Amino acid sequence: MEFYQTSKCDFLAKVLVVLTWGMLSLRAAECSTDTGSVDYEAINCRKHTAFLTDFGGKGDGYTSNTEAFRRAISELSKFATDGGAQLIVPPGKWLTGPFNLTSSFTLYIHQDAVILASQDEAEWDLIPPLPSYGRGRDAAGPRFISLIFGTNLTDVVITGGNGTIDGQGQQWWTKFRQGQLNYTRPYLIEIMFSDHVQISNLTLINSPSWNVHPVYSSFVVMKGLTILAPTDSPNTDGIDPAVVSNSFFGCLADSCSNTKIEDCFIVSGDDCIAVKSGWDEYGIAFGMPTQHLIIRRLTCISPDSAVIALGSEMSGGIQDVRAENITAISSESGVRIKTAIGRGAYVKDVFVKGMTLQTMKYTFWMTGDYGSHPDDHFDPKALPVIQGINFRDVVSKNVTIAGKLVGIKNDTFSGICISNVSIELSEHAKKQPWNCSDIQGVSSQVSPQPCALLPDQKIDCPYPSDTLPVDEIQFQTCAAATHC
């Protein structure tokens, strides 16, 4: 197997590689002087580089590369304390089953590379359900591991020159619809219990279910992602005891702290971005909130769901969410808050400014009766607190309903503020553009005039001016070889 060191390729480097790896019997690269490379931004650059082909990988579209990926990452993990390593997926179509990442590691997918998810169900191991959910999303019990998976990692980067990860989800969707799956479908990328994670400059298509799912993690950056999923997939956006979800969420922030989502384009059969933190009694017991999340420059198409959804699984709490410069076309709603009796916890301090929405059912939507419980053991006395929800500087055109804001009886959604909003209703708009109950708040310069529960106070809704710690991460310019 051959290796390319971005710093030098002379004989001394070859000897050092062999000495470092001892009995691994590795061959060093014979790098030519015209070796090509591309620059990319990452939270950290790596000292060592290898290609998937160095480990027997074949990019012909039908040879399995599962063992090549696993062997490559296992060997490169040995460089974690020596400047880290990057694995280059070169041009080609690379069929593979699931594989696990390692710390101080970069997976770089070339712009002409496609990672194809295996359709052999036997390759997909089962793992326990998430502790904050208590069960799988599609079915009770365990779930299939994600295609690209990692847990308890530090400093991991998944990036590329807009290379593609194709989940080949049609088989999974068909089995799901026909009731032939006993376990929850896999996701494309899931990172658990980790910190300093970057997922960027990729195209993700045809995921069996969720696309990108960081969970129980901190300092996560998702940037420059193009995510394409079927917009006509039947989905219930949650799980009813009798009806299971067919969710195709774009990006999720789930029980994560200090997360940033920027410059993404998402076409989804479900919420483009979903913010979650656990499900009923399981999320309450686990007690890990999503907090300090910023979303910038998002473009979304989601005919049946929200551009940004908070909940409905929010039982660990959601606080300090900031969204700005959001564009949506042909989507069901802008920002939607979903919760229910039994969820407990809170959604607090949500700030949104600068939304441009075209052809929507709802501009604003809050739901206090979402239901969808994992089982019958939820606490009916566990009422969620929805407080401090702020929207400003919104232009919305061709809208059926300006706002549907429905809280919970004896559990008022409070501190709602909506200012500087222009909504143009469609020809088929409801005669009553606003529907409000069990809420409390204010409005200012909103057209059409909101409901009486949002009186005009002639104020600007707040938006934080401080900088979140995740925004202070400094990116480096790194080099990825294109061939060796």
Side-chain angles (χ1 to χ4, degrees):
M1 58 187 72
E2 299 181 352
F3 291 84
Y4 166 71
Q5 295 249 175
T6 56
S7 58
K8 52 187 175 182
C9 295
D10 57 17
F11 178 77
L12 178 60
K14 300 175 187 179
V15 173
L16 289 174
V17 168
V18 174
L19 291 176
T20 302
W21 286 26
M23 299 302 294
L24 294 177
S25 300
L26 300 176
R27 282 195 296 123
E30 296 178 0
C31 297
S32 63
T33 57
D34 63 346
T35 296
S37 66
V38 293
D39 291 340
Y40 67 94
E41 288 191 339
I43 54 179
N44 277 305
C45 301
R46 311 302 179 193
K47 181 178 177 182
H48 303 274
T49 295
F51 290 81
L52 186 60
T53 48
D54 296 331
F55 299 88
K58 294 184 178 180
D60 55 20
Y62 59 85
T63 300
S64 175
N65 292 281
T66 306
E67 290 307 314
F69 272 109
R70 293 176 179 178
R71 187 164 57 251
I73 294 169
S74 176
E75 301 297 352
L76 293 176
S77 69
K78 297 175 173 61
F79 286 122
T81 59
D82 183 31
Q86 60 181 354
L87 177 64
I88 309 296
V89 182
K93 294 184 178 180
W94 307 89
L95 181 68
T96 182
F99 56 88
N100 294 351
L101 301 180
T102 188
S103 294
S104 302
F105 176 79
T106 295
L107 177 67
Y108 184 90
I109 305 171
H110 188 277
Q111 65 178 357
D112 296 321
V114 180
I115 293 179
L116 296 171
S118 171
Q119 294 184 303
D120 180 1
E121 192 174 313
E123 284 210 72
W124 299 77
D125 293 337
L126 293 175
I127 60 175
L130 293 167
S132 60
Y133 284 76
R135 54 160 287 165
R137 291 277 308 181
D138 295 343
R143 60 201 181 101
F144 289 106
I145 195 170
S146 298
L147 178 65
I148 300 175
F149 182 76
T151 186
N152 296 292
L153 304 179
T154 295
D155 182 13
V156 60
V157 175
I158 309 169
T159 191
N162 203 32
T164 299
I165 303 174
D166 184 349
Q168 299 203 103
Q170 184 62 58
Q171 173 180 286
W172 296 95
W173 308 333
T174 299
K175 286 184 176 181
F176 171 80
R177 292 182 177 115
Q178 294 177 353
Q180 296 176 356
L181 288 177
N182 296 319
Y183 308 106
T184 295
R185 289 163 293 160
Y187 312 146
L188 281 188
I189 301 172
E190 183 175 64
I191 306 295
M192 300 175 58
F193 297 108
S194 300
D195 68 271
H196 291 86
V197 176
Q198 174 186 338
I199 305 170
S200 64
N201 299 324
L202 300 169
T203 296
L204 310 179
I205 62 175
N206 301 321
S207 176
S209 184
W210 299 353
N211 282 273
V212 182
H213 185 223
V215 59
Y216 318 138
S217 297
S218 61
F219 291 95
V220 179
V221 176
M222 293 173 274
K223 184 175 183 178
L225 299 177
T226 299
I227 299 176
L228 307 177
T231 60
D232 59 350
S233 58
N235 71 84
T236 62
D237 197 6
I239 295 180
D240 181 273
V243 184
V244 291
S245 167
N246 198 24
S247 305
F248 293 90
F249 298 122
C251 293
L252 278 85
D254 199 343
S255 292
C256 288
S257 178
N258 272 296
T259 302
K260 178 164 65 174
I261 304 172
E262 286 186 332
D263 302 307
C264 293
F265 175 76
I266 302 174
V267 179
S268 178
D270 213 308
D271 304 321
C272 285
I273 292 180
V275 184
K276 299 178 180 291
S277 65
W279 204 359
D280 286 7
E281 69 270 25
Y282 305 103
I284 293 172
F286 197 74
M288 184 175 288
T290 288
Q291 57 188 350
H292 313 311
L293 164 66
I294 187 160
I295 303 166
R296 295 192 185 102
R297 299 181 297 277
L298 166 70
T299 300
C300 166
I301 299 174
S302 180
D304 297 311
S305 291
V307 178
I308 301 172
L310 307 172
S312 72
E313 304 87 347
M314 38 63 66
S315 299
I318 296 172
Q319 188 166 17
D320 189 12
V321 176
R322 312 174 185 193
E324 56 183 307
N325 298 328
I326 309 300
T327 301
I329 306 166
S330 299
S331 298
E332 186 174 38
S333 62
V335 176
R336 185 183 181 190
I337 296 175
K338 304 185 288 186
T339 189
I341 292 171
R343 293 289 194 270
Y346 51 84
V347 177
K348 295 181 180 180
D349 306 328
V350 176
F351 306 93
V352 181
K353 72 171 181 179
M355 288 200 300
T356 302
L357 312 175
Q358 176 69 45
T359 308
M360 311 289 291
K361 183 175 182 180
Y362 303 97
T363 298
F364 305 107
W365 195 4
M366 300 182 189
T367 307
D369 60 350
Y370 196 79
S372 179
H373 302 287
D375 52 41
D376 296 331
H377 304 304
F378 68 91
D379 181 1
K381 296 181 181 179
L383 300 178
V385 174
I386 311 301
Q387 186 178 74
I389 313 299
N390 302 274
F391 302 97
R392 60 182 289 179
D393 308 333
V394 178
V395 175
S396 186
K397 297 181 179 181
N398 195 24
V399 177
T400 304
I401 301 170
K404 183 177 182 180
L405 311 178
V406 179
I408 299 173
K409 187 176 181 180
N410 300 320
D411 183 30
T412 300
F413 295 1
S414 63
I416 298 169
C417 183
I418 304 176
S419 69
N420 190 26
V421 173
S422 173
I423 301 173
E424 292 184 9
L425 299 174
S426 70
E427 295 180 1
H428 307 290
K430 299 294 184 180
K431 293 183 179 179
Q432 184 177 340
W434 292 84
N435 179 3
C436 307
S437 63
D438 298 298
I439 66 162
Q440 175 274 324
V442 297
S443 65
S444 179
Q445 300 183 67
V446 177
S447 175
Q449 181 68 38
C451 50
L453 295 175
L454 297 172
D456 192 335
Q457 297 292 315
K458 294 181 173 57
I459 62 169
D460 287 329
C461 300
Y463 193 89
S465 58
D466 63 314
T467 300
L468 291 177
V470 71
D471 248 346
E472 297 176 354
I473 293 177
Q474 298 294 314
F475 283 78
Q476 302 179 36
T477 300
C478 307
T482 57
H483 64 276
C484 183

